[in-house]
Structures are given as C-alpha cells and as structure tokens.
Amino acid sequence: MTDDSSPNGKGNGPLDGRPDGQLTACDPNVKPTSAEDEAALERETLIDFPSEFPIKVMGPATDAFINDIKQAVDGVVPGLPETAWKERASGKGNFVGLTLTFTATSRQQIDDVYRAITANPDVKMCL
C-alpha cells in the first residue's frame, strides 16, 4: 500500500521519518544547532551593523530599578556613557521610562540586551 501524500507516492514525504528512523530536516521537531540558529538570525535582520539602536524600558520610578537596569545592560554592553541613557517620569511619578541608545554590533547583542533587561521582574514594558 502506498501513501499518495508524498511526491513519490511511497510515504516518504518531507515530514515522514527516514527508513532508519531519523527525522528529516523538514521536520518541525528538529532543533537547529546554536551556530545555525545564530546564522539564521543574522540573515533575517534588516539592520546594517554597526547601528545606533534605541531600547525603551518602563518600570517603577525607584533608584533601585534604574540602577538594576543599568547594571544588567552593563553586563552585556560594558562602559556605556551616562549620555546613552535618558529618563522620563510618568505623569504621576509612579513609573519611569528609560531610553537606552547604543551602537549595536549584531542582532545577537541586541537580543542579549533585551534578555538582560526583561530578566528583571519589575520591568513593565521593553520595546
């Protein structure tokens, strides 16, 4: 009996397992290696690097929150000048908006900065 859903009618379409039990590369369950993953990210970006890149963060208007965010970013992009940061208080002063503008050198670096910022449980929003 044949399976007509495959191109050759033999049941070995792109989502079928190979006869040796291995999954084919088209299988959504196959995870790419980290090198393949990073290469794919670099191909997918529309940004030319290096590039000035802004990130906006919102959280409670406390010195502790601001310092925690700056320390988290410093772990990924060390030595940023204070001029890379802008602060803006909310209307009632309960929240603060931080804008970080830095020279990004890769998509991976941008992703790492986002991960470092959003690891803080007090972050309400990060764009």
Side-chain angles (χ1 to χ4, degrees):
M1 177 175 211
T2 63
D3 176 4
D4 292 331
S5 66
S6 67
N8 62 10
K10 296 189 187 221
N12 289 328
L15 297 179
D16 293 334
R18 297 189 325 215
D20 61 1
Q22 296 295 316
L23 297 175
T24 63
C26 295
D27 191 314
N29 296 319
V30 173
K31 303 291 184 211
T33 65
S34 61
E36 291 171 336
D37 210 16
E38 189 172 322
L41 281 176
E42 290 301 321
R43 284 190 305 272
E44 290 176 13
T45 188
L46 298 176
I47 302 170
D48 291 326
F49 294 103
S51 178
E52 289 296 306
F53 194 84
I55 295 179
K56 295 182 181 273
V57 183
M58 182 175 276
T62 64
D63 289 339
F65 174 75
I66 294 167
N67 290 333
D68 288 348
I69 296 301
K70 288 182 178 182
Q71 273 188 322
V73 171
D74 193 55
V76 180
V77 186
L80 288 174
E82 196 58 36
T83 57
W85 295 92
K86 288 191 174 40
E87 295 179 24
R88 184 169 184 253
S90 66
K92 294 184 181 178
N94 296 329
F95 296 95
V96 65
L98 301 173
T99 302
L100 163 66
T101 304
F102 68 103
T103 302
T105 57
S106 70
R107 170 75 185 264
Q108 183 67 44
Q109 183 185 43
I110 293 170
D111 290 345
D112 290 346
V113 170
Y114 274 112
R115 280 188 209 99
I117 291 170
T118 58
N120 185 312
D122 292 330
V123 169
K124 302 297 181 201
M125 184 175 13
C126 183
L127 305 171

